[in-house]
Each structure stands twice: as C-alpha cells, then as structure tokens.
Amino acid sequence: MSPGDSISLKGSTRTITEFFEYSINSILYQRGIYPSDDFTTVKKYDLPLLKTHDEELKQYIRKILIQVHKWILGQKCTKLVLCIVDKDTGDVVERWAFDILRHDDNNEDGNGDDNVIINPELTQKQIRSLIRQITASVTFLPELTNEGNYTFNVLAYTDAYAKVPLDWGDSNSKEIENGENVQFKSFETNDYKVGAQVSYKQGQ
C-alpha cells in the first residue's frame, strides 16, 4: 500500500463512520426508540438531520463507532447491523444491515487494475439519497406499538483475525425469520461500496 492509498483509505473510513453515526441517530429518532426531545436538528449532507444530545446515548454510540472505525481501517469489518429489540420479549423487530464491500474484493484476477476514483461530491450525493430513503422508511415500516419499550443492539461482522474488545461479545446474526426485506440505495468511496437494507416483522 502506498502513502496515497493509506490517505484514501483513512478518508473512506471516516466517511463511512460518519455516515453510520448519522444513520444510527436517524433510525433511533424515526423509530421512536428514544424521546424526540433527546434529539436536535443539525445540518449534514445538505439535509436537516436529527442527532441525539443525550450524553449517555452519545457516548455509547461514540464508543461503538470508534471501534468500528478501527475495524474498517484495518479492513476487518464487512457488515454493521443495528437491531431494534422488544424489551419485553427480546425479539428483534427490525434489523438494519449495512454491507461494507471493498472494491478490490471483487478483483478476481488480482492484478490491481481496479482502482476506483469517485468524486467526493458524488459520494455525498449518494449518501444524501440513502439517508433520505432511511428517513422515508417510516412510510412503510409497521408502527412500533409498544411505545418506549424498545432498545437497540449493534452487531459488527469481523474477520477471524480482528481484535475484539471484551465488551463486544459473540452473537448470533439476529436474523428475522419470515420477515419483509427492503433494499436501499448504496454509496461508494474510492475504497468501499456501502449498501443498506432493512428487515422487519409484519403486524407488530
């Protein structure tokens, strides 16, 4: 890896981590997992977005993202999943999955000719479209009727060689059996393509 590659990877990783931060906040707000009073409107990607000002939640999300950033930078993370869980039953009612695919993972001949140059403005435009889809998801997702009684978990898919902190325990994939699936748009950086989808239970 050349110094230029390293700079590109750091930039891509920062872009992805930042996207996750705003996506997590948006989902928690849109789905009413925390009171709306816990969120403040900020401008990002030329969009008005919601971000929590609850100190405990902010620190929790920050702790998650610091570790995820390290994994992505080390090319150890392939997927991030946010699960919305019913506190009473422990059931996963929604599963938001974000796939993190390195461009060179598709390079089957290994000749390294797959360098992708993505205009940062295009990346921002793609992120904007994806965030808009996430925000608009309330129009089709079932209402979470058990108000105030949901929490969330974040899962990270890492390779076998990733260093995993003790507070990140092993977990099953928390798939939703017989759930509905909706695929969203994706965005690309010079190093990665990030896709998103949500799975959910009907008739909650």
Side-chain angles (χ1 to χ4, degrees):
M1 179 182 287
S2 70
D5 292 336
S6 178
I7 291 170
S8 174
L9 186 58
K10 286 179 180 178
S12 290
T13 304
R14 188 163 52 248
T15 297
I16 294 167
T17 307
E18 195 173 61
F19 163 76
F20 284 150
E21 179 184 9
Y22 284 95
S23 295
I24 290 171
N25 273 274
S26 181
I27 291 165
L28 296 181
Y29 173 80
Q30 296 294 336
R31 305 308 288 142
I33 310 305
Y34 290 87
S36 57
D37 291 348
D38 286 355
F39 294 83
T40 303
T41 302
V42 296
K43 190 169 185 181
K44 185 67 180 175
Y45 311 121
D46 287 329
L47 294 172
L49 300 176
L50 278 300
K51 195 172 181 181
T52 185
H53 56 75
D54 178 272
E55 205 55 44
E56 187 176 348
L57 180 56
K58 273 170 63 176
Q59 290 303 318
Y60 180 64
I61 293 173
R62 176 173 170 76
K63 184 178 180 182
I64 290 170
L65 292 177
I66 286 173
Q67 183 57 57
V68 168
H69 186 274
K70 290 177 181 176
W71 279 327
I72 298 173
L73 192 58
Q75 303 173 42
K76 303 294 185 186
C77 185
T78 57
K79 186 192 293 269
L80 195 71
V81 176
L82 187 154
C83 296
I84 296 177
V85 182
D86 188 314
K87 290 181 183 177
D88 288 339
T89 64
D91 290 343
V92 177
V93 296
E94 286 178 16
R95 186 179 186 275
W96 297 78
F98 300 91
D99 292 304
I100 309 163
L101 178 68
R102 270 189 64 83
H103 288 307
D104 59 8
D105 288 343
N106 285 332
N107 184 17
E108 295 180 359
D109 57 13
N111 62 15
D113 290 335
D114 60 332
N115 291 332
V116 178
I117 304 300
I118 304 291
N119 186 318
E121 291 182 4
L122 176 60
T123 299
Q124 295 291 299
K125 182 179 179 181
Q126 292 172 338
I127 290 175
R128 202 155 48 238
S129 294
L130 180 46
I131 291 275
R132 281 192 176 118
Q133 283 191 312
I134 291 171
T135 302
S137 64
V138 292
T139 60
F140 64 80
L141 288 171
E143 183 180 356
L144 297 178
T145 55
N146 201 1
E147 186 175 349
N149 210 37
Y150 296 93
T151 186
F152 76 101
N153 300 135
V154 174
L155 313 177
Y157 285 55
T158 60
D159 72 20
Y161 302 102
K163 292 182 179 179
V164 180
L166 291 175
D167 50 355
W168 284 76
D170 288 337
S171 170
N172 63 35
S173 60
K174 299 188 184 295
E175 300 279 357
I176 296 177
E177 291 186 16
N178 302 317
E180 300 288 332
N181 297 290
V182 176
Q183 189 76 37
F184 293 128
K185 293 180 179 179
S186 59
F187 72 88
E188 292 185 72
T189 68
N190 287 345
D191 302 281
Y192 289 102
K193 180 176 181 178
V194 177
Q197 68 172 25
V198 63
S199 305
Y200 57 93
K201 283 186 175 181
Q202 283 283 18
Q204 296 165 46

